[in-house]
Amino acid sequence: MALAVCVADPAPALAAFVLPPLTYPVDALAPAIAPTTMTIHHDRHHAAYVANLNARIADHPELEGMALEDLQGRMSRYPAAVRNNGGGHYNHSLFWQVMAPPGQGGAPSAELGAAITASFGSPEALQQRFARAAADRFGSGWAWLIRRPDGSLAITSTANQDNPLMDLPGIERGVPLLGLDVWEHAYYLDYQNRRPDYIAAWWSLVNWNEVNRRFADGGAATTARES
C-alpha cells in the first residue's frame, strides 16, 4: 500500500503561520516511531498544512493576525481548505509537544491523577478507553483526552484534521490535553496496518509533563503561531 504525501501549494506572499521545530532529534522517539517516519511526518505532512494554510490568507486576510488556537473556535466561518489545513497545523503542533523521548515524559501529577481517577476510575481505564477510541476511529483522524468546560475529563475522537476546539456540528467540545494521530502516515512505515500496535507503543512516548502543564493551566494550549 502506497503512502500518500501531501503536496504544498507554492509559497504565499503572506505567511502568518510557521512550522514549529521539533524539540528533540528525529531519532529520539525510536523504536516506537522511527526517524524516517518522524522526518516525513514533520517535514512534509505538517509543513504542507502550514504552507497550504498560509496560501488561504489571500482570500481570508484576517487569518494573518489570528492565533492558531482562536482559528479553531471560528472554523465554521471558513471553507474546507482552511478547516483541513488549519486543523492539521494545530493538531500536529500539539502532537509534537505531547510526546517526549522514552523515560523523559514524567508521570501524571497528583492533580491530574485525581481527575483521571474521578473521570475514568483508574489510569489503566483511561489508557484502555483512549486506545479503543484511537483504534475504532474509521479511516483517518485523531483520539483525544480533553478537558470539558465544566472541568471534567473525557475521551473523544475526530475525523480527518478536526479537533475538539472546532465550533462544528458533531464535535464534542473541550480543550485538548493529549492527542494521538491515527492517520496512516503517522505509523504505516513502522506498523503497516497494525494500528493497535502503534497505539500500544505510543504510550511510552507520552509527555505527561506537558499534559500536566496544560491541565494546570486550565487546559490552555500552547499554539505554534508566530507573526
Side-chain angles (χ1 to χ4, degrees):
M1 179 177 179
L3 281 176
V5 176
C6 301
V7 178
D9 290 345
L14 298 174
F17 302 96
V18 299
L19 178 69
L22 296 174
T23 58
Y24 36 77
V26 294
D27 62 353
L29 305 186
I33 302 178
T36 300
T37 296
M38 286 296 298
T39 299
I40 293 172
H41 199 172
H42 179 269
D43 296 357
R44 299 186 191 179
H45 288 279
H46 190 176
Y49 291 124
V50 176
N52 291 335
L53 178 60
N54 282 328
R56 307 280 77 79
I57 293 175
D59 297 324
H60 306 281
E62 73 278 7
L63 293 175
E64 187 180 15
M66 190 180 299
L68 181 58
E69 183 179 278
D70 292 341
L71 171 60
Q72 311 308 304
R74 303 175 186 178
M75 203 60 78
S76 62
R77 309 176 190 181
Y78 293 98
V82 175
R83 173 179 177 175
N84 294 336
N85 292 294
H89 182 22
Y90 174 86
N91 295 351
H92 285 86
S93 297
L94 181 146
F95 187 52
W96 312 131
Q97 292 174 355
V98 298
M99 294 190 294
Q104 298 183 26
S109 65
E111 294 78 12
L112 177 59
I116 289 171
T117 299
S119 296
F120 308 111
S122 68
E124 293 76 18
L126 161 66
Q127 290 196 20
Q128 291 169 3
R129 289 178 57 178
F130 189 99
R132 186 163 60 249
D136 290 350
R137 166 51 60 185
F138 183 78
S140 301
W142 293 74
W144 305 97
L145 172 66
I146 64 171
R147 186 167 187 166
R148 290 171 168 149
D150 65 3
S152 65
L153 303 182
I155 293 168
T156 186
S157 70
T158 55
N160 301 316
Q161 294 297 351
D162 290 349
N163 64 63
L165 291 178
M166 291 182 175
D167 61 334
L168 296 169
I171 292 178
E172 182 173 6
R173 301 293 297 280
V175 176
L177 303 179
L178 184 63
L180 174 59
D181 189 346
V182 294
W183 282 64
E184 285 191 341
H185 65 239
Y187 64 87
Y188 202 84
L189 289 178
D190 303 321
Y191 299 93
Q192 290 78 53
N193 64 333
R194 304 188 309 275
R195 185 190 287 183
D197 291 350
Y198 160 64
I199 297 166
W202 175 79
W203 283 107
S204 69
L205 306 178
V206 172
N207 184 2
W208 289 109
N209 296 319
E210 173 64 15
V211 180
N212 292 335
R213 185 197 65 77
R214 297 173 67 85
F215 179 78
D217 287 349
T222 300
T223 66
R225 184 206 177 263
E226 295 181 9
S227 58

